[in-house]
Amino acid sequence: MIPDIQRNEQIENRLAKLEKLKSQGINPYGQRFDRTHMLREIVDKFEELEGQVVTVAGRLVAKRGQGKVSFTNIADQTGTLQLFAKIDVLGEPAYQNYLDLDLGDIIGVTGKVFKTQRGEISVQVQSYQLLSKALRPLPDKWHGLTDTDLRYRQRYLDLISNPEVREVFLKRTKIIRTIRRIMDEMNFIEVDTPILSVIAGGGHARPFETHHNALDLDLTMRIALELYHKRLIVGGFDRVYEIGHCFRNEGISTRHNPEFTMMELYQSYADYEVMMELAEKLICETAMEICGTLQIEYQGTKIDLTPPWPRLSMVEAIKKYTGIDWFSIKTDEEAVAAAQKLGLKIDPKATKGMVLDEISSEFVEPNLIQPTFLMDHPIEISPLAKRKDDNPELAYRFELFIYGREMGNAFSELNDPLDQRQRFIEQAREKAKGNEEAMVWDEDFLTALEYGMPPTGGMGIGIDRLVMLLTDSPSIRDVILFPLMRPLDNK
């Protein structure tokens, strides 16, 4: 029963119609209904279907006419279609109930396909069935559902009222399907690794924590997929990938949601240059599938995805956008002072590598509008990446930026177990200093490395951000069906 506090005249009117139908022995919430066609098929195949009897179903979204003939429109996932009803075909009782239908009701219809005198493809109703009576009115059809907060909280209304929103999520499905096809064609094996773990490894992030009652065991939700995938490479799988949810106990913004979708992939006997080529292939082929071009527009800015994409070292980028010669800075204190001179508020205890990352985030990344590989990060912020042979302070790592946003992150993976153990020691020191995002020690992963992992290239790509780019969506909430929202105070 709808609470009294939420009732209004429209709801009361719909409840009265509901009771009237029940009194006539009509079930307002029907059973299975077998359709012969989706609505878009009727339009697309009109010449083939004209004059034929079809069975369709959908939500009532428009009504016109109250005399002996009436026009209505129904909508399903594929589009909308006009229905034409006549009293002398349906009979007076059924026709009157048809006129009593409300916007939002879901009906099934059998009828003949034809075109009206005005040239609109339609179905003439021969029989119909009410499948679900809507007790609440839909948002005003002229203004739609425009309140952003309400759209995210009641996504079902958003999808009903705004067809372009439904199209975004259909494209999201197509994007993921395209990526899977490409990966399968390249002989990658799709895997499924744990979401719950004793250790949240593979990334710099604060995890969500939970507790398993039966085992009396504290667990975390995964922040990345990396360490399980590398175990699989040790175990002999040559190429693996996974598209799955990750969870980070961090802030919410137009780019961040605590629950998000990540694809990670690992290829043995490869390196980060192979990953660059693979990133170009994945994103370009997906863009062609979704957009039909590599020259796309995002939020009014033209983006050219044509490969090859520029490669820019972090140190080169710092000098280009700030004038600082990073190689001239020798100590952590000098790095902090350089950042402060640029106006950044930096923790005085920050390491040289951490400061470099902060300067890059502020002064470099916003300028990387066209696709760019930002390469060769400091070791301190890359604890799972292989050291560069020509400069052991830097790692074989890149981040991919498009429109100033990180789209991907990749390494030549560290496969030296002794070096990896030392990196974990350094991360443990950082955690002891209060850095909650420092990486957690994983002894079992070290054990796996000690059995030997081949040289490996690995990469993570944010699926939500890729969908944002290819659907021209300004916020990550626009591409996640049910983003996390603060509960409303309904007291």
Side-chain angles (χ1 to χ4, degrees):
M1 181 63 69
I2 296 176
D4 291 341
I5 194 173
Q6 296 182 6
R7 292 194 181 195
N8 57 33
E9 185 177 348
Q10 288 192 64
I11 290 177
E12 293 292 352
N13 184 44
R14 288 170 182 245
L15 287 169
K17 290 180 180 180
L18 183 75
E19 291 305 315
K20 177 184 174 183
L21 291 170
K22 288 181 177 179
S23 69
Q24 295 174 354
I26 298 172
N27 179 6
Y29 299 99
Q31 303 292 340
R32 164 179 168 173
F33 189 83
D34 295 326
R35 296 176 287 182
T36 60
H37 297 82
M38 300 295 283
L39 300 183
R40 182 59 184 266
E41 287 182 88
I42 307 297
V43 176
D44 290 346
K45 300 179 181 179
F46 172 72
E47 292 183 0
E48 173 186 331
L49 295 174
E50 185 177 11
Q52 294 188 26
V53 174
V54 297
T55 300
V56 295
R59 186 182 296 274
L60 192 62
V61 293
K63 293 178 62 178
R64 301 174 300 285
Q66 291 292 324
K68 295 183 178 181
V69 298
S70 63
F71 294 91
T72 54
N73 285 72
I74 58 172
D76 67 9
Q77 177 179 298
T78 65
T80 62
L81 184 71
Q82 179 173 273
L83 304 178
F84 173 66
K86 297 176 65 176
I87 189 171
D88 58 357
V89 173
L90 291 177
E92 186 170 345
Y95 183 72
Q96 185 57 52
N97 285 338
Y98 188 86
L99 293 180
D100 281 344
L101 291 171
D102 291 301
L103 297 184
D105 290 353
I106 298 173
I107 61 174
V109 170
T110 296
K112 185 180 294 186
V113 178
F114 78 109
K115 187 177 288 187
T116 66
Q117 291 182 347
R118 293 186 177 183
E120 184 163 356
I121 296 170
S122 307
V123 169
Q124 181 172 348
V125 182
Q126 296 176 347
S127 64
Y128 75 94
Q129 182 178 342
L130 178 60
L131 301 174
S132 183
K133 180 68 183 174
L135 300 183
R136 294 179 184 268
L138 297 177
D140 180 87
K141 73 172 184 176
W142 300 113
H143 300 96
L145 185 64
T146 57
D147 183 285
T148 302
D149 186 75
L150 186 60
R151 285 180 51 224
Y152 297 147
R153 291 183 186 279
Q154 296 183 303
R155 182 67 86 184
Y156 43 90
L157 284 184
D158 192 23
L159 293 168
I160 293 170
S161 304
N162 301 314
E164 67 277 7
V165 172
R166 184 165 60 245
E167 187 62 28
V168 166
F169 289 102
L170 292 174
K171 285 183 177 179
R172 180 187 173 108
T173 296
K174 191 174 181 180
I175 287 168
I176 293 174
R177 186 167 62 236
T178 300
I179 290 172
R180 281 199 164 100
R181 174 183 59 77
I182 296 168
M183 299 304 291
D184 292 346
E185 288 173 354
M186 296 182 66
N187 297 319
F188 278 82
I189 298 170
E190 186 171 10
V191 297
D192 192 7
T193 59
I195 290 175
L196 290 175
S197 178
V198 176
I199 296 171
H204 286 89
R206 184 177 179 181
F208 287 95
E209 298 174 346
T210 187
H211 185 79
H212 189 284
N213 292 331
L215 296 179
D216 191 22
L217 185 65
D218 289 332
L219 298 171
T220 63
M221 301 180 76
R222 68 184 179 194
I223 59 174
L225 314 173
E226 182 165 347
L227 298 188
Y228 281 112
H229 287 205
K230 289 182 180 178
R231 286 173 169 91
L232 296 175
I233 295 293
V234 171
F237 282 106
D238 190 62
R239 301 180 180 196
V240 297
Y241 81 99
E242 181 173 1
I243 299 173
H245 285 202
C246 293
F247 308 83
R248 297 186 179 181
N249 198 350
E250 300 168 347
I252 295 175
S253 71
T254 56
R255 305 185 193 186
H256 298 92
N257 192 68
E259 179 180 0
F260 60 97
T261 303
M262 174 78 75
M263 181 180 80
E264 290 200 31
L265 61 95
Y266 293 83
Q267 179 177 341
S268 58
Y269 308 104
D271 64 4
Y272 79 151
E273 292 193 355
V274 173
M275 294 299 105
M276 291 183 204
E277 295 169 1
L278 182 50
E280 291 171 340
K281 177 181 176 65
L282 278 169
I283 292 176
C284 290
E285 288 193 21
T286 303
M288 287 300 298
E289 184 74 21
I290 303 304
C291 306
T293 179
L294 296 182
Q295 283 72 47
I296 66 172
E297 187 170 298
Y298 182 74
Q299 298 300 290
T301 298
K302 295 187 183 301
I303 306 290
D304 186 356
L305 298 175
T306 305
W309 299 335
R311 303 181 181 189
L312 183 64
S313 78
M314 234 181 170
V315 173
E316 289 173 353
I318 293 291
K319 185 153 190 181
K320 178 178 179 180
Y321 292 106
T322 69
I324 295 174
D325 181 0
W326 197 254
F327 289 125
S328 69
I329 295 176
K330 304 301 181 185
T331 67
D332 294 342
E333 291 74 19
E334 290 177 9
V336 170
Q340 290 173 340
K341 188 176 291 187
L342 292 171
L344 295 180
K345 294 181 179 180
I346 297 288
D347 184 345
K349 297 179 182 178
T351 66
K352 182 179 172 182
M354 293 166 64
V355 173
L356 179 63
D357 191 41
E358 288 290 331
I359 293 176
S360 178
S361 296
E362 186 69 24
F363 294 99
V364 176
E365 295 170 12
N367 292 292
L368 305 181
I369 302 302
Q370 300 303 319
T372 304
F373 294 116
L374 189 63
M375 305 164 52
D376 305 340
H377 296 51
I379 282 292
E380 299 102 299
I381 59 172
S382 311
L384 296 168
K386 191 185 290 285
R387 293 178 188 270
K388 292 203 72 179
D389 293 333
D390 57 355
N391 189 339
E393 290 185 5
L394 303 178
Y396 288 112
R397 175 185 175 186
F398 73 76
E399 291 174 293
L400 169 61
F401 286 90
I402 304 177
Y403 195 73
R405 296 174 179 172
E406 181 193 343
M407 304 294 292
N409 186 23
F411 311 149
S412 293
E413 303 294 342
L414 178 58
N415 63 339
D416 179 344
L418 302 181
D419 191 357
Q420 185 66 80
R421 184 174 293 276
Q422 184 59 40
R423 306 275 193 95
F424 278 168
I425 290 172
E426 292 162 1
Q427 289 291 301
R429 288 173 182 155
E430 284 298 313
K431 188 167 286 290
K433 292 178 185 177
N435 183 354
E436 293 182 336
E437 294 188 356
M439 198 163 292
V440 179
W441 191 290
D442 189 336
E443 186 63 37
D444 181 72
F445 175 63
L446 291 171
T447 300
L449 285 186
E450 289 167 358
Y451 281 100
M453 184 178 83
T456 298
M459 178 166 58
I461 293 177
I463 296 296
D464 306 305
R465 290 185 183 178
L466 180 58
V467 176
M468 287 172 64
L469 178 71
L470 298 183
T471 60
D472 195 18
S473 299
S475 171
I476 195 170
R477 293 185 178 191
D478 294 323
V479 300
I480 294 176
L481 279 168
F482 299 101
L484 184 65
M485 304 286 289
R486 187 188 301 275
L488 292 172
D489 185 1
N490 292 320
K491 295 181 181 178

